Amino acid sequence: MSIRDDAQQMKLDAPAMAATSIDARNDALCHVREALVGHADEIFAANALDLAAAEKDDVAPQIVKRLRFDEHKLADVTAGIDQLIALPDPVGRVTLDRELDEGLELRRVTCPIGVIGVIFEARPDALVQISALCLKSGNCAILKGGRETANTNRVLFSLIHDAAVAAGLPDACLKQAKSHADIDELLACDREVDLLIPRGSNAFVRYIMDHTKIPVMGHSDGICHMYVDAAADPDQALCLILDAKTQYVAACNALETCLVDRAVAAGFLPRLAAACAEAGVTLHGDAEVGSYVPVEPLGEDGYRHEYLAMDMTVALVDGVDAACDHINRYGSHHTDAICTTDAAHADRFCQLVDSAGVYVNASTRFADGFRYGFGAEVGISTGKIHARGPVGLDGLVTYKYVLYGHGDIVGDYASGRRHFTHRDLI
Amino acid sequence: MSIRDDAQQMKLDAPAMAATSIDARNDALCHVREALVGHADEIFAANALDLAAAEKDDVAPQIVKRLRFDEHKLADVTAGIDQLIALPDPVGRVTLDRELDEGLELRRVTCPIGVIGVIFEARPDALVQISALCLKSGNCAILKGGRETANTNRVLFSLIHDAAVAAGLPDACLKQAKSHADIDELLACDREVDLLIPRGSNAFVRYIMDHTKIPVMGHSDGICHMYVDAAADPDQALCLILDAKTQYVAACNALETCLVDRAVAAGFLPRLAAACAEAGVTLHGDAEVGSYVPVEPLGEDGYRHEYLAMDMTVALVDGVDAACDHINRYGSHHTDAICTTDAAHADRFCQLVDSAGVYVNASTRFADGFRYGFGAEVGISTGKIHARGPVGLDGLVTYKYVLYGHGDIVGDYASGRRHFTHRDLI
């Protein structure tokens, strides 16, 4: 079967998947958890093959860490599945219920998106999380994981798929794409696939966005800012900056640029430089910043540079409006924070910054589905059409308008024989 | 100024527009209404020029009807503005409020989309409606109307823009694109424009979708279905079909295909044929339908044909599941209805049909922002990512996640020093 055949079958089965009850979907998740726990040895054996191949290919240790699927990772993903089972059904929620006229009732009801293609990096736990989110939300999904974990993915996928089908879900609820060539075929399935969620490097996500007519949810860059306001508590600012910059430098929500109000530059920059030097973070900035503390030149993209390393841009701005302007101009609309004790400055920042996450006195690293309490995430979206920020169950459903009448016709309203009441029922 | 210059200026001003208060936006709408009423003669004089030009060019009478802007249309649009003023602020609504941990609060807050490009047909009342919706929702908008009403558009646009600015909104809140060449320039502004809303012919909307990287909201085809179930009340079915088919044939929500359960074909089809003949509707169908009633062959696109005329496809299906399958396979996911007295069939239809509107015993012509009580609409979306169906104020806002902390860092949670509470506050 080609990916297009898979997608066509899935498109036909998607309404049946969407119509499954929450009990059936939760039951499937229970089966999935049992299958994973019951076949742990099989999964670990497949993973050992992937790890051995990675070692032979001299893959970097921090990458190997992502490939590993051990007892600890298994415990994490089963805990995630338990959390998902406990969450309410995202499907069938009535978000608008309005009487249009006596006996004519309009409801806006959430429903699954349909067929979702997810292309993700070589992380076996991501395969489990994404499958579980799609099953819980009643979506069909085509999964393509990184080839470095092909053996682990194959075993995990069979276990999850067979458990879901054994619990009564349609056979086409999950499919796996195995080869890299499948990706280009998937990108052409714009009649069958409702949404693509690519995860991985900026270049890869950009490639996907540029080569498909299917709507894409996700983000390429993660150029996150922390603005140190004149009214910031400097100790708190240093603590937030170090956490946001160093807690996990390769993450999209890690800090890349620190903006400092000129009014406090002379006092704050030397402290920032000392703390960063101690933590091993190299500062980059222009001549003005360099007049206070030693800096390297800006990255090749200037203020749009994403380091994903122990490097950070520092720039001076004149107050909160200028900070917001810098962030909107050079940022990536992902997650940006202000450090301040001035509530008016915080409000102004929250209003003016056009990003999926706008934080007050908190680290940008909180931008994550698990930390938001979504159980898991399929990704983080910087798009503004539908889901924005970490995408959990809510981001995997859309809605339809359901209208209940008793033979109601528009002609009666056009002629003035009847008039709308437009009364909200919830 | 080129359209790109306009768009760049708008992108910079969009956060200030988004931060305006609801009082300022409602005040602007009051000014707009006063300006329109106060300068009615000027508008009508400009419209007379457009109508004279249309007459000289032998434009068809039903098109001329759309171009006309008279006392009646003015009363309609000012009533629409009054309705909009009365609606609650769509911006700043808190749709999720969650304590992540003590003192760490996450809110999901609606906010304007930002910069919207709307390209619409030659209908002066559409210009007023779209401008008013964008102003109320805090969005900046670039408007391009049909050239057949260029004179009317110019006068309406100046009045609306100047009234909004006089009320204190940013100068770049609204811009007008005047030439057809501006459209291609606008399509290339993917860094500045957040959303495009094209209205017009299928071919035009398809062209827009295929030639831009900007997200597009709207629909091309409107292939709406009415399924006459075995348990339908035949009188009600005929009444609904005639309204949906004939009340306004050129509308996207007009009926194109009538599906009939085979079990009632012998009884129902002759009545349908008689009623349609009387109303001037020509039926199209296959040989099996033709064995009951006289039919013309199917349109060139078979079951995917959109007539937008006094023609209708008729097809026989075996029950509600087959009807849903036909609709999902050949329809355009716009608005589809079932006529039945069987509640289980109605529920099954609502669950299985994957369309923006799914109606029970009501005419498909109800798919309209005014009829849904949205005050007005910028268009109807068949996309599933974000807005679906008639798009009013809710479809013109997205949300951002706002996180309020007190120096909270991720390291504390990663290390297990702190634990999330994830308690919903609303």
Side-chain angles (χ1 to χ4, degrees):
Chain A
M1 290 267 281
S2 71
I3 287 297
R4 181 175 289 276
D5 292 337
D6 280 349
Q8 280 171 349
Q9 188 54 51
M10 211 171 238
K11 185 76 182 164
L12 294 176
D13 284 1
M17 179 67 179
T20 54
S21 70
I22 182 63
D23 290 343
R25 284 175 273 129
N26 280 338
D27 190 39
L29 289 178
C30 292
H31 276 70
V32 167
R33 187 192 42 190
E34 277 167 35
L36 295 177
V37 172
H39 294 78
D41 290 343
E42 205 178 314
I43 303 168
F44 299 154
N47 191 240
L49 294 178
D50 289 329
L51 293 176
E55 207 156 307
K56 217 171 105 187
D57 292 352
D58 279 332
V59 172
Q62 69 266 34
I63 302 288
V64 172
K65 196 176 152 197
R66 287 187 174 195
L67 308 184
R68 187 178 302 279
F69 194 86
D70 52 15
E71 284 287 357
H72 178 71
K73 290 273 178 73
L74 180 62
D76 278 355
V77 298
T78 53
I81 292 174
D82 286 336
Q83 247 190 331
L84 272 183
I85 293 171
L87 287 175
D89 190 1
V91 176
R93 277 188 300 118
V94 178
T95 59
L96 179 142
D97 191 358
R98 177 174 291 168
E99 180 190 88
L100 299 189
D101 189 8
E102 213 181 304
L104 184 60
E105 181 181 341
L106 178 72
R107 286 192 195 153
R108 186 173 59 206
V109 183
T110 62
C111 55
I113 287 172
V115 177
I116 302 179
V118 192
I119 309 167
F120 54 100
E121 67 277 32
R123 268 183 52 197
D125 46 333
L127 189 149
V128 183
Q129 277 190 22
I130 293 165
S131 307
L133 278 165
C134 289
L135 291 177
K136 174 89 182 193
S137 57
N139 284 291
C140 295
I142 298 175
L143 308 176
K144 170 71 183 79
R147 64 185 155 69
E148 298 84 352
T149 49
N151 290 296
T152 321
N153 288 351
R154 194 169 45 240
V155 173
L156 286 173
F157 181 83
S158 313
L159 291 170
I160 294 170
H161 174 266
D162 295 352
V165 173
L169 297 188
D171 185 69
C173 62
L174 293 172
K175 300 263 186 192
Q176 194 183 15
K178 284 167 194 148
S179 77
H180 198 75
D182 286 344
I183 295 178
D184 284 324
E185 203 181 330
L186 182 62
L187 298 188
C189 295
D190 54 297
R191 286 189 79 98
E192 293 83 17
V193 178
D194 294 298
L195 177 66
L196 281 179
I197 305 180
R199 303 167 30 145
S201 71
N202 296 357
F204 176 72
V205 174
R206 179 55 56 193
Y207 174 84
I208 300 285
M209 290 174 166
D210 287 349
H211 290 84
T212 187
K213 290 181 188 169
I214 304 169
V216 175
M217 188 185 281
H219 68 280
S220 48
D221 307 326
I223 306 168
C224 299
H225 297 74
M226 172 77 63
Y227 164 57
V228 180
D229 190 45
D233 168 346
D235 293 327
Q236 187 183 73
L238 290 175
C239 171
L240 291 175
I241 290 166
L242 288 181
D243 183 80
K245 179 68 245 180
T246 68
Q247 204 262 336
Y248 186 31
V249 289
C252 57
N253 56 16
L255 189 62
E256 301 295 354
T257 301
C258 178
L259 301 175
V260 179
D261 191 326
R262 264 196 190 83
V264 293
F268 185 72
L269 286 182
R271 292 194 58 191
L272 176 67
C276 285
E278 196 183 339
V281 175
T282 304
L283 300 185
H284 299 255
D286 65 8
E288 189 187 358
V289 176
S291 72
Y292 294 103
V293 292
V295 288
E296 298 290 319
L298 292 176
E300 60 193 48
D301 299 323
Y303 290 117
R304 288 202 178 90
H305 197 76
E306 184 179 15
Y307 299 100
L308 297 171
M310 292 292 266
D311 293 82
M312 183 170 73
T313 301
V314 179
L316 301 180
V317 292
D318 289 319
V320 65
D321 279 36
C324 295
D325 190 66
H326 181 109
I327 292 168
N328 288 334
R329 204 183 278 257
Y330 300 112
S332 60
H333 310 287
H334 189 297
T335 304
D336 301 287
I338 183 174
C339 185
T340 188
T341 58
D342 183 319
H345 286 190
D347 284 350
R348 184 82 183 151
F349 186 87
C350 288
Q351 277 205 308
L352 287 184
V353 169
D354 180 24
S355 295
V358 194
Y359 291 5
V360 178
N361 297 327
S363 164
T364 56
R365 290 274 298 126
F366 281 106
D368 168 276
F370 170 74
R371 295 184 190 121
Y372 278 14
F374 297 170
E377 70 179 30
V378 283
I380 290 186
S381 169
T382 54
K384 295 200 237 178
I385 310 307
H386 194 51
R388 209 177 183 199
V391 179
L393 294 176
D394 280 349
L396 291 176
V397 292
T398 177
Y399 51 80
K400 55 174 81 167
Y401 286 98
V402 182
L403 182 67
Y404 298 99
H406 300 86
D408 301 77
I409 60 173
V410 164
D412 285 343
Y413 296 86
S415 65
R417 269 192 302 277
R418 294 196 66 91
H419 297 279
F420 290 107
T421 56
H422 286 156
R423 188 162 64 85
D424 285 327
L425 301 174
I426 50 168
Chain B
M1 291 266 281
S2 73
I3 286 297
R4 181 175 289 276
D5 293 336
D6 280 349
Q8 280 172 348
Q9 187 55 50
M10 211 171 234
K11 185 76 182 165
L12 295 175
D13 283 2
M17 179 68 178
T20 53
S21 70
I22 182 61
D23 290 343
R25 283 175 274 129
N26 279 338
D27 190 39
L29 289 178
C30 291
H31 276 71
V32 167
R33 186 192 43 190
E34 277 167 35
L36 295 177
V37 173
H39 294 78
D41 291 343
E42 206 178 314
I43 302 169
F44 300 155
N47 191 240
L49 294 177
D50 289 328
L51 293 177
E55 207 156 308
K56 219 171 103 187
D57 292 352
D58 279 332
V59 172
Q62 69 266 35
I63 302 288
V64 172
K65 197 177 150 194
R66 286 186 173 195
L67 309 184
R68 188 180 301 281
F69 193 85
D70 52 16
E71 283 287 356
H72 178 71
K73 290 274 179 73
L74 179 62
D76 278 356
V77 298
T78 53
I81 292 174
D82 286 335
Q83 248 191 328
L84 273 182
I85 293 171
L87 287 176
D89 191 0
V91 176
R93 278 187 299 118
V94 178
T95 58
L96 179 144
D97 192 357
R98 177 174 291 168
E99 181 190 88
L100 299 189
D101 190 10
E102 211 180 306
L104 183 61
E105 181 181 342
L106 178 73
R107 287 192 195 154
R108 185 173 59 206
V109 183
T110 62
C111 55
I113 287 173
V115 176
I116 302 178
V118 191
I119 309 167
F120 54 100
E121 68 276 32
R123 269 183 51 197
D125 45 332
L127 189 149
V128 182
Q129 279 191 21
I130 293 165
S131 307
L133 278 165
C134 289
L135 292 176
K136 174 88 183 194
S137 57
N139 284 291
C140 296
I142 298 176
L143 309 176
K144 171 70 182 79
R147 65 185 154 69
E148 298 85 352
T149 49
N151 290 296
T152 320
N153 287 350
R154 195 170 43 241
V155 172
L156 285 173
F157 180 83
S158 313
L159 290 171
I160 295 170
H161 174 266
D162 295 352
V165 173
L169 298 188
D171 185 68
C173 62
L174 292 172
K175 300 265 187 190
Q176 195 182 15
K178 283 166 197 151
S179 77
H180 198 75
D182 286 345
I183 295 178
D184 284 324
E185 202 181 329
L186 183 62
L187 298 187
C189 294
D190 53 295
R191 285 190 79 98
E192 292 83 17
V193 177
D194 294 298
L195 177 66
L196 280 179
I197 305 179
R199 302 166 31 143
S201 71
N202 296 356
F204 177 71
V205 173
R206 179 55 57 194
Y207 174 85
I208 300 284
M209 290 175 166
D210 288 348
H211 289 84
T212 187
K213 290 182 187 168
I214 304 169
V216 175
M217 188 186 280
H219 68 279
S220 48
D221 307 326
I223 306 169
C224 300
H225 297 74
M226 173 77 64
Y227 165 58
V228 180
D229 190 45
D233 169 346
D235 293 327
Q236 186 182 74
L238 290 176
C239 171
L240 291 175
I241 290 165
L242 288 181
D243 183 81
K245 180 68 246 180
T246 68
Q247 204 261 336
Y248 185 31
V249 290
C252 57
N253 55 17
L255 188 63
E256 301 295 355
T257 302
C258 178
L259 301 174
V260 179
D261 191 326
R262 264 196 190 82
V264 293
F268 185 73
L269 286 181
R271 292 195 58 192
L272 176 67
C276 284
E278 196 183 339
V281 175
T282 304
L283 301 184
H284 299 256
D286 64 8
E288 189 188 358
V289 177
S291 72
Y292 294 101
V293 292
V295 290
E296 298 290 319
L298 291 176
E300 59 192 47
D301 299 323
Y303 290 117
R304 288 203 178 91
H305 197 76
E306 184 179 15
Y307 299 100
L308 297 171
M310 293 292 266
D311 293 82
M312 182 170 75
T313 300
V314 179
L316 301 179
V317 293
D318 288 320
V320 64
D321 279 37
C324 296
D325 191 64
H326 181 109
I327 292 168
N328 289 333
R329 203 181 278 258
Y330 300 112
S332 60
H333 310 287
H334 189 296
T335 304
D336 300 288
I338 183 174
C339 184
T340 188
T341 58
D342 183 319
H345 287 190
D347 284 350
R348 183 84 182 149
F349 186 88
C350 288
Q351 275 205 307
L352 287 184
V353 169
D354 180 24
S355 295
V358 193
Y359 291 5
V360 178
N361 296 328
S363 165
T364 56
R365 289 275 298 124
F366 281 107
D368 167 275
F370 170 73
R371 295 183 191 122
Y372 279 15
F374 297 171
E377 71 179 31
V378 284
I380 290 187
S381 170
T382 55
K384 296 201 235 177
I385 311 307
H386 193 51
R388 208 175 184 203
V391 180
L393 295 175
D394 280 350
L396 291 176
V397 293
T398 177
Y399 51 79
K400 54 174 82 165
Y401 286 99
V402 182
L403 183 67
Y404 298 98
H406 299 88
D408 301 79
I409 61 173
V410 164
D412 286 343
Y413 296 87
S415 66
R417 270 193 302 277
R418 296 196 64 90
H419 298 279
F420 290 106
T421 56
H422 286 156
R423 187 162 66 85
D424 284 327
L425 302 174
I426 50 169

